[in-house]
Amino acid sequence: MSKYELDVVVDGFHYLEGPRWYKNALWFVDFYTKGVYRVNDEGVAEKIVHVEQQPSGLGWLPDGRMLIVSMKDSKVLRLEDNGELVVHADIWKHCEGHANDMVVAPNGNAYVGNFGFDLMGGADHKHTGLVLVRPDGTSQVVAEGLAFPNGMVISADEKTLIVNELFGNKVSQFDIKENGTLGEKRDFANFGELEDEPNLGVRIENASILPDGLALDSEGAVWIADTLNQRAVRIKEGGEILETVDTAPDGIFAVALGGQDGKTLFMCAAPDWDEALRTAETKGRMLSTPVKVGHAGTP
């Protein structure tokens, strides 16, 4: 049993992802109601905007306009001040499989991952890359060879990008160059190489963790959503596990640090994506628990 006491923030959703703490509020997406939500002061989740091709990663430009990944058509959308949803960047040509999670740097540069293969269709696993979307909407591939890049964060000094490799059994990192491109990939935490194994089931069987969502704390450690083991885990660079929040029977698919002191861990809990899609039952919910360390320094 976890030593942490879990609270339900909101429930009655399908499959939650992309939690962010921004301007003293919790934001997230629900894949299968195709909505971006914000939790108000009364603890009610309000739908802010509908994304027909399924929303995923969230972030904000320096002027406060929100960016949203539109998964199935591989676009980054922008929510204008007047409520209009427009195309910020079309990154279809850079993606193999659905566009997915995203992190937006303070300067407005956005880094977007993608599946790399047809996950829902049962295709073999393929490595893929990261796409840089600049504030003017231009884009380019800035990293390759990742096993389903997923949750991403940028270090407080804005010099390092950290990214989960969901089917890679690792968390990787890159130096961020002055022009926004990335240096060579290196390990943040590696739990064993899975190489080029194409069978997804074998990759999962041989993995120790499945790192989905990601949050960075003030001490440079990361919290990951470990979907394989129904838990959130705090990991130090090098791979040492510092804290574990067990959530069984709930699976955890994304995490964020926030709250008034930045020390509340928010966790997206749901059945696996396949069950959520097949059953269309409202089992998805947001959990939270205070943690002793980990102010994230989010805006």
Side-chain angles (χ1 to χ4, degrees):
M1 180 178 295
S2 174
K3 67 180 181 180
Y4 292 97
E5 184 175 343
L6 304 179
D7 291 318
V8 176
V9 179
V10 292
D11 61 7
F13 292 90
H14 293 271
Y15 184 89
L16 304 186
E17 276 278 9
R20 307 285 190 264
W21 184 263
Y22 180 72
K23 290 190 174 179
N24 295 315
L26 178 66
W27 302 68
F28 60 88
V29 308
D30 186 6
F31 276 9
Y32 302 130
T33 61
K34 302 177 181 179
V36 178
Y37 295 84
R38 179 181 60 201
V39 180
N40 65 23
D41 292 339
E42 287 72 46
V44 177
E46 301 175 312
K47 190 171 183 177
I48 302 301
V49 67
H50 184 85
V51 178
E52 183 59 32
Q53 295 301 313
Q54 196 168 300
S56 185
L58 302 176
W60 286 264
L61 292 168
D63 63 9
R65 290 177 296 170
M66 182 167 58
L67 299 182
I68 308 162
V69 172
S70 180
M71 297 183 70
K72 294 182 177 180
D73 57 357
S74 296
K75 293 177 180 177
V76 178
L77 307 180
R78 187 178 68 244
L79 186 62
E80 302 286 65
D81 293 335
N82 64 2
E84 182 183 7
L85 195 60
V86 302
V87 175
H88 182 69
D90 185 339
I91 59 173
W92 179 270
K93 65 181 179 181
H94 298 314
C95 296
E96 299 182 55
H98 293 347
N100 195 22
D101 211 350
M102 171 179 67
V103 64
V104 181
N107 63 7
N109 282 339
Y111 298 87
V112 187
N114 69 91
F115 286 14
F117 62 100
D118 185 1
L119 174 65
M120 281 66 169
D124 283 346
H125 175 273
K126 287 177 59 179
H127 287 75
T128 188
L130 295 177
V131 179
L132 165 64
V133 177
R134 300 185 186 281
D136 64 1
T138 58
S139 62
Q140 68 181 102
V141 176
V142 290
E144 296 180 332
L146 289 95
F148 205 106
N150 212 321
M152 288 177 279
V153 292
I154 292 174
S155 61
D157 63 8
E158 302 175 30
K159 294 181 178 180
T160 306
L161 174 73
I162 304 172
V163 55
N164 283 335
E165 295 194 49
L166 178 62
F167 299 128
N169 205 32
K170 65 172 69 173
V171 182
S172 297
Q173 59 184 332
F174 300 85
D175 290 335
I176 301 174
K177 299 180 182 179
E178 288 188 7
N179 64 359
T181 60
L182 302 177
E184 294 296 317
K185 186 178 77 164
R186 62 186 190 277
D187 290 340
F188 181 92
N190 190 330
F191 295 90
E193 292 292 342
L194 303 180
E195 306 299 341
D196 294 326
E197 169 60 54
N199 186 290
L200 185 59
V202 173
R203 295 187 74 89
I204 293 173
E205 183 180 348
N206 291 336
S208 300
I209 62 169
L210 288 185
D212 200 332
L214 185 65
L216 178 70
D217 70 25
S218 61
E219 297 181 5
V222 297
W223 283 95
I224 68 163
D226 182 4
T227 68
L228 183 65
N229 298 300
Q230 298 176 318
R231 62 182 184 171
V233 180
R234 184 172 180 254
I235 302 174
K236 181 180 179 180
E237 184 174 4
E240 180 184 355
I241 294 177
L242 302 174
E243 297 282 343
T244 299
V245 178
D246 295 312
T247 59
D250 287 303
I252 299 299
F253 296 89
V255 294
L257 283 168
Q260 297 306 311
D261 63 357
K263 295 184 178 182
T264 297
L265 181 67
F266 295 98
M267 295 166 283
C268 296
D272 63 46
W273 60 266
D274 185 53
E275 182 182 344
L277 179 60
R278 285 186 292 103
T279 65
E281 293 180 4
T282 53
K283 295 181 179 179
R285 57 182 182 164
M286 184 75 68
L287 304 177
S288 70
T289 187
V291 290
K292 294 181 180 178
V293 292
H295 187 279
T298 51

